[in-house]
Amino acid sequence: MFRILLIALLFLSNDAFTQDKDADEIIKKMQTVFDGIKDYKVDMTISVDMSFLKVPKSKATLYFKQPDKVKLDSKGFAMLPKEGLTFSPGKMLDFAYSAFYIKEEKVGESNTHVIKIIPNADTARVLLTTLWVDSKFNILRKIKSTTKSAGEFEIELTYADPANIKLPSTAELTFTFDQNKIPARIRDEIQKESKDQKNQNSMNGKVTIRYENYSINKGLPDDLFKEDQ
Amino acid sequence: MFGKLILIELYKIFRKWRTYIGFIAIGVLLPIILTALYYEGSNYINFSMRALKGSFLVVGNLLNGYLVGYLILQALIIHIPFLIVLVGGDLMAGEATAGTYRMLAIRPVSRFKILTAKYLSGIMYIGILLLFLAFMSIGVGSIIFGTGELLVYSNKIYIFPASDVIWRFILSYIFAMLSMSTVFGLSFLFSSIVENAIGPIVATMALIIIFIILSALPIESLAWIKPYLFTNHMNGWMTFFADPVDWSEITESALVLGAHSVGLYLVSLILFLKKDILS
């Protein structure tokens, strides 16, 4: 029912009537750009800001190999959001969907195509995803998604050298976190501290990741991913 | 001279088998806890991190010596008073029981020095016991589990960097020393009044239990009394494992406990100075 309403809303909006670009084609181009990256290794500095959690800034190394092999390595403690972990469009859109071109919009200094993604089946973990795809480099600039289990999240990506490195230099992820997943004792304390969050079912969180020292297409061995895949 | 008095008192303390009950208890209990954590500690980590693991990919060794040290301190610090009063309750009353009070008092050493030496040697015993606890938990725990970030599950989930943990433990143990000194002071006071060690031991424990129950009761009409109960301030060491550290709360608790310790010592001193020793 929710899906039908969303589709109806999209078609009724003015933007939908001005659709003159092929959303599937844009996604395909973006996928082709990402498919050019067979594997990569990158050092990350991760900052987590959540009201019920105090975590130090951590350093970790992320390994990725197509199509979906991932390994997170760190000398100490590190935590990384599972959503949008590898920036793989294929991984993010791993369900049958309908894509709708909405409009052009500026994200920072970049021109982007705004595309809305609606899953075709009720079983998909995502309810609605909006992509902001860089019109010049065909790379993701921003993602906003509403999921069934993990609430809403938004990822904004910046690129240091998008002409040569099609992977981001920073990612800023904001998300909602279901308060019911937090132990009651901690939830009560947080609600005491923050009166405006009282009686709400979710609280906000933010993760900022800085990526450095990309090593792309160096042929990472499969063995590397055996344990942590 | 005074140093020698303290050494004599320490010798007397460590000559009695009951002094070793605390060390034996810790020495037996800790290997059991360490073994249990070795095999099932990951369950605790998973339980504490379950809220996050659905949405986050988590790496790192959170089951380490620091976590073991924290969990053991949290679990045992409530029970350490039971071990301390065994010594504190015997320090003065033990002399009466053994019939050596008068002999002690006729030596060319003032009563003030005798009592102070006994009090300080008791405090030193607490320090040694807590050092043993720290060694067995943090030291042995670090050898077995290694070191790393410390996971603290309290009003929030805290993960402290390894470099930010040691000072918290040091201050926590200093605070625990202050808490235990208050308990010791109480047993020492009772010990200076009576002539049998059992009475001070039981009386101190009974009083602590009453105070803890009063502190825990969620009755509004009793709420006013809680800030005045020293037992209410004994868990102040936990405040060091928060970020930011609430220094005003720690200072308040430290002042309450310190005032109790000094007060109990002074009352014990006055009673001993005026005591008519007949045994």
Side-chain angles (χ1 to χ4, degrees):
Chain A
M1 185 59 191
F2 181 72
R3 198 162 56 86
I4 295 164
L5 271 172
L6 278 171
I7 294 170
L9 276 170
L10 278 170
F11 279 101
L12 284 171
S13 72
N14 286 335
D15 291 330
F17 288 116
T18 59
Q19 180 168 335
D20 57 354
K21 285 178 180 143
D22 188 344
D24 290 315
E25 190 62 30
I26 293 166
I27 292 170
K28 202 175 164 187
K29 278 184 189 171
M30 181 175 67
Q31 183 67 57
T32 308
V33 168
F34 192 78
D35 285 347
I37 300 163
K38 302 297 175 202
D39 59 62
Y40 68 81
K41 175 193 162 199
V42 64
D43 296 327
M44 301 182 295
T45 308
I46 308 157
S47 307
V48 179
D49 180 12
M50 291 171 82
S51 50
F52 73 96
L53 179 71
K54 281 264 187 181
V55 187
K57 199 179 265 190
S58 57
K59 286 185 180 291
T61 303
L62 181 72
Y63 299 87
F64 172 78
K65 188 170 186 177
Q66 295 277 16
D68 58 358
K69 290 190 174 75
V70 180
K71 178 178 172 156
L72 184 65
D73 201 8
S74 175
K75 279 181 186 168
F77 173 84
M79 52 186 282
L80 199 63
K82 285 179 179 171
E83 295 294 345
L85 182 69
T86 61
F87 324 109
S88 165
K91 179 82 177 163
M92 273 185 279
L93 305 173
D94 60 350
F95 49 87
Y97 62 85
S98 300
F100 303 94
Y101 186 88
I102 304 298
K103 61 180 177 180
E104 284 191 6
E105 194 176 281
K106 274 215 157 195
V107 174
E109 293 299 308
S110 310
N111 292 316
T112 61
H113 302 299
V114 183
I115 294 166
K116 288 208 184 280
I117 308 280
I118 295 168
N120 292 338
D122 292 338
T123 49
R125 63 191 169 82
V126 171
L127 294 171
L128 173 69
T129 296
T130 309
L131 304 176
W132 282 258
V133 183
D134 189 298
S135 52
K136 188 177 175 188
F137 297 108
N138 297 309
I139 49 178
L140 265 178
R141 286 282 175 186
K142 194 169 153 184
I143 313 155
K144 196 172 182 179
S145 197
T146 306
T147 64
K148 283 177 188 166
S149 57
E152 286 179 19
F153 71 88
E154 185 177 319
I155 308 172
E156 202 160 333
L157 305 164
T158 59
Y159 296 78
D161 182 13
N164 296 310
I165 300 172
K166 308 290 184 193
L167 291 165
S169 53
T170 64
E172 198 172 285
L173 186 138
T174 47
F175 54 92
T176 55
F177 198 89
D178 187 353
Q179 285 204 22
N180 296 318
K181 287 183 181 173
I182 303 166
R185 182 166 60 120
I186 294 175
R187 190 169 60 231
D188 293 346
E189 287 289 333
I190 299 296
Q191 286 179 342
K192 257 189 247 169
E193 281 179 21
S194 174
K195 284 177 186 170
D196 57 316
Q197 284 194 340
K198 211 163 189 175
N199 302 324
Q200 286 183 14
N201 289 324
S202 60
M203 54 177 66
N204 297 324
K206 187 176 169 184
V207 177
T208 309
I209 308 165
R210 204 172 77 236
Y211 299 90
E212 288 169 309
N213 307 322
Y214 272 110
S215 172
I216 302 168
N217 294 338
K218 300 287 182 191
L220 293 176
D222 285 337
D223 292 353
L224 187 70
F225 300 92
K226 268 185 182 166
E227 281 179 16
D228 301 66
Q229 216 181 111
Chain B
M1 178 67 184
F2 188 65
K4 204 169 184 180
L5 265 181
I6 292 174
L7 281 176
I8 291 167
E9 289 304 330
L10 277 173
Y11 175 75
K12 282 157 76 177
I13 286 175
F14 282 97
R15 280 263 300 177
K16 290 185 177 174
W17 75 270
R18 72 173 66 185
T19 303
Y20 296 96
I21 291 174
F23 294 95
I24 294 166
I26 292 169
V28 169
L29 194 58
L30 274 261
I32 295 170
I33 296 173
L34 289 169
T35 310
L37 283 172
Y38 185 81
Y39 288 105
E40 291 184 30
S42 55
N43 293 345
Y44 175 81
I45 303 289
N46 289 335
F47 176 79
S48 303
M49 299 297 284
R50 73 190 188 285
L52 298 169
K53 284 201 167 173
S55 308
F56 289 86
L57 200 62
V58 179
V59 291
N61 174 29
L62 287 175
L63 178 59
N64 56 49
Y66 295 152
L67 178 68
V68 170
Y70 177 79
L71 291 178
I72 288 171
L73 185 59
Q74 195 178 29
L76 293 194
I77 202 73
I78 316 162
H79 308 292
I80 297 291
F82 289 89
L83 307 174
I84 282 166
V85 295
L86 291 176
V87 170
D90 185 58
L91 266 177
M92 297 298 284
E95 298 284 357
T97 310
T100 49
Y101 239 155
R102 197 185 305 183
M103 198 174 74
L104 195 69
I106 56 167
R107 286 160 66 198
V109 181
S110 68
R111 285 194 182 193
F112 167 76
K113 281 185 179 173
I114 291 169
L115 183 120
T116 307
K118 280 186 178 292
Y119 186 85
L120 290 178
S121 57
I123 297 289
M124 283 177 191
Y125 162 76
I126 298 169
I128 295 166
L129 190 68
L130 287 177
L131 273 176
F132 182 66
L133 177 68
F135 169 73
M136 286 296 287
S137 57
I138 306 169
V140 177
S142 296
I143 293 166
I144 297 170
F145 298 96
T147 56
E149 288 84 356
L150 172 64
L151 167 70
V152 173
Y153 190 86
S154 56
N155 60 337
K156 286 180 185 173
I157 298 173
Y158 294 98
I159 292 161
F160 295 106
S163 58
D164 193 30
V165 172
I166 295 294
W167 71 270
R168 292 179 196 274
F169 271 119
I170 291 170
L171 292 181
S172 294
Y173 268 91
I174 290 172
F175 192 93
M177 177 88 191
L178 191 57
S179 302
M180 294 308 125
S181 299
T182 308
V183 173
F184 167 78
L186 194 63
S187 63
F188 190 75
L189 169 66
F190 290 149
S191 180
S192 65
I193 297 169
V194 299
E195 299 196 344
N196 188 310
I198 303 298
I201 292 168
V202 174
T204 309
M205 287 322 304
L207 203 64
I208 288 171
I209 289 166
I210 290 167
F211 280 8
I212 288 173
I213 291 170
L214 285 176
S215 299
L217 281 177
I219 298 170
E220 212 165 301
S221 57
L222 290 174
W224 66 272
I225 204 172
K226 288 180 186 177
Y228 303 102
L229 303 175
F230 73 87
T231 48
N232 215 33
H233 297 272
M234 282 173 60
N235 277 338
W237 68 272
M238 284 181 165
T239 318
F240 290 109
F241 292 94
D243 187 36
V245 173
D246 188 345
W247 293 105
S248 62
E249 190 185 324
I250 288 173
T251 309
E252 187 193 325
S253 292
L255 284 172
V256 170
L257 292 170
H260 272 84
S261 291
V262 173
L264 290 165
Y265 162 74
L266 288 175
V267 175
S268 305
L269 183 65
I270 292 163
L271 288 175
F272 186 59
L273 290 176
K274 292 188 173 178
K275 193 177 180 80
D276 190 10
I277 296 169
L278 303 168
S279 62

